Structure formats: structure tokens, C-alpha cells
Amino acid sequence: AQSVTQLDSHVSVSEGTPVLLRCNYSSSYSPSLFWYVQHPNKGLQLLLKYTSAATLVKGINGFEAEFKKSETSFHLTKPSAHMSDAAEYFCVVTFEDSGYSTLTFGKGTMLLVSP
Amino acid sequence: NAGVTQTPKFQVLKTGQSMTLQCAQDMNHNSMYWYRQDPGMGLRLIYYSASEGTTDKGEVPNGYNVSRLNKREFSLRLESAAPSQTSVYFCASIIIEESSYEQYFGPGTRLTVT
């Protein structure tokens, strides 16, 4: 079965320290992968996407993610957290066998940033 | 170009009442989707429409119906609302082209069923 797993439901960091949000997917087909951010009571904003081009993807607000096929992972990182990064983050995947027509969302990781 | 719009933004229903959530996109996308978001569950697909005239069930279709009225509009209907349908509902449209894949989400409808 195809699935996406966000390994941490909550991640706490201090402002100025690195951020790592982990995501693994399970599929034998070629995936396209995305990270979305959702601030409290707001909609979804696309941070970055991987669609079979460069494996290191740079997104907005200093975030980046690396697609590692051998590890079936697409972890999100940022060198230095800012208070405004506090939000919920979703790893999202779509697969070639569905014609990339349906998205599967991870359950989300809440990022908490302390001063 | 308004992107994806949803109405209403907020709604409170009593158990057993019916309502329709409206979604429209002005980007000429073929595919449209309805998701629900619940705490700790991410977004789960309710129904989708790959093209005008077609609809398919997603992960959690029970208690819902959809209509793809035309290429722009995709509505979600709750015939007899239940407290378990209290959630935030997001509509989305997607364009899939050879070298790109773009998704656009509406702002959401927050529904409470008492």
C-alpha cells in the first residue's frame, strides 16, 4: 500500500537552531513529493516540491528538502529557525500509478519554536 | 484571477440538517478535490473529479455527495449532517502537465455540527 509517514507529531526547537522534520513514503512507483505549511487557522501554503528533477529542492523561507530514493525519505530542513516558522507542516505525496491525480497527506508535524 | 474560492467560510449546523459547500476555480483546471482536515489526521480525500462529468470516491466518502457542475465548480453536499462531520473542509484544484504539477487550495470552510 502507498503511504506517507511523518515520523514526529511534534518537534520543538529554539530560535536560531536547525530544524529537521522527517517524512518517509512507501511506494514502488515514482513519487512526486511536497511540503506544505499551515499556520494556525490559516490555509495551506506550498513550501517546496520534488517532481523528479534535482534531488535537493529549495523552497520558500529558507526551507529545503532532499529526496533520497534509497531511503524513501523527503526530510524538510532549515538551518536556523525563526519564531514565525511555528506552524504545522504536512508532507504530501502523489504517485505515478494514480497518474499523479490523487494526493496522500501525512498526519502533520507541529513545529514549536521557543525564544 | 481569484484562484480557488470556497463558500461559506464558517457554518454551524444541527444534527440532521443538510447543506452544500461551494467551490470554484478560475484557472481552467480539469481536476478538483474535496478534503477534510481533522486534528492529528492530516487532510483526507473525500471525493475528487478528474474531469468535468466524472467523480470518484476518496478515502472518506461516507455521508457526502458531490456534483461537478461544470469545469469551474465542484460542490460538496451533506444530506444529513452528523457531529462526526465537524471539520475543516478544503477544496483544491490541480493541473498536471508534462513538466509540472501545480496544486491550489481554497481557504477552507470550518463546519461545526451540534
Side-chain angles (χ1 to χ4, degrees), chain A residues 2-13:
Chain A
Q2 297 156 352
S3 64
V4 57
T5 302
Q6 292 183 242
L7 296 163
D8 307 290
S9 60
H10 292 80
V11 169
S12 295
V13 300

Side-chain angles (χ1 to χ4, degrees), chain A residues 13 15 20 37-38 40 44 51 55 62 73-74 81 85 93 95 106 113:
Chain A
V13 300
E15 191 174 22
L20 170 64
V37 61
Q38 186 180 35
L44 294 154
T51 53
T55 56
S73 69
F74 190 57
D85 294 327
V93 62
F95 298 104
V113 183

Side-chain angles (χ1 to χ4, degrees), chain A residues 90-102:
Chain A
F90 294 97
C91 182
V92 182
V93 62
T94 184
F95 298 104
E96 185 180 17
D97 70 319
S98 74
Y100 300 112
S101 65
T102 58

Side-chain angles (χ1 to χ4, degrees), chain A residues 11-66:
Chain A
V11 169
S12 295
V13 300
S14 299
E15 191 174 22
T17 63
V19 175
L20 170 64
L21 305 182
R22 298 182 293 167
C23 173
N24 285 93
Y25 69 93
S26 172
S27 171
S28 58
Y29 297 95
S30 300
S32 288
L33 295 144
F34 311 83
W35 277 98
Y36 280 85
V37 61
Q38 186 180 35
H39 288 90
N41 298 313
K42 299 291 186 184
L44 294 154
Q45 181 182 18
L46 179 66
L47 277 178
L48 49 81
K49 63 180 178 181
Y50 166 77
T51 53
S52 78
T55 56
L56 182 62
V57 182
K58 294 189 184 299
I60 61 172
N61 300 336
F63 284 94
E64 63 181 38
E66 186 172 9

Side-chain angles (χ1 to χ4, degrees), chain B residues 20-84:
Chain B
T20 300
L21 281 64
Q22 306 285 355
C23 173
Q25 51 94 7
D26 60 2
M27 296 170 285
N28 204 36
H29 291 170
N30 285 324
S31 301
M32 297 184 73
Y33 302 76
W34 276 106
Y35 293 90
R36 61 177 288 173
Q37 183 181 23
D38 303 292
M41 301 296 290
L43 271 72
R44 293 180 292 170
L45 183 63
I46 304 171
Y47 270 95
Y48 68 102
S49 171
S51 61
E52 188 178 355
T54 68
T55 60
D56 287 285
K57 294 178 180 179
E59 182 184 353
V60 288
N62 291 345
Y64 304 95
N65 286 302
V66 290
S67 296
R68 185 73 183 269
L69 303 168
N70 47 54
K71 194 169 187 179
R72 287 189 65 249
E73 298 171 289
F74 187 40
S75 62
L76 178 72
R77 182 159 179 85
L78 286 70
E79 291 290 353
S80 179
S84 61

Side-chain angles (χ1 to χ4, degrees), chain B residues 11-19 78 80-87 110-114:
Chain B
Q11 184 72 48
V12 178
L13 292 178
K14 294 187 189 305
T15 297
Q17 288 184 318
S18 62
M19 78 161 295
L78 286 70
S80 179
S84 61
Q85 294 178 304
T86 293
S87 188
R110 190 173 295 272
L111 175 67
T112 302
V113 183
T114 61

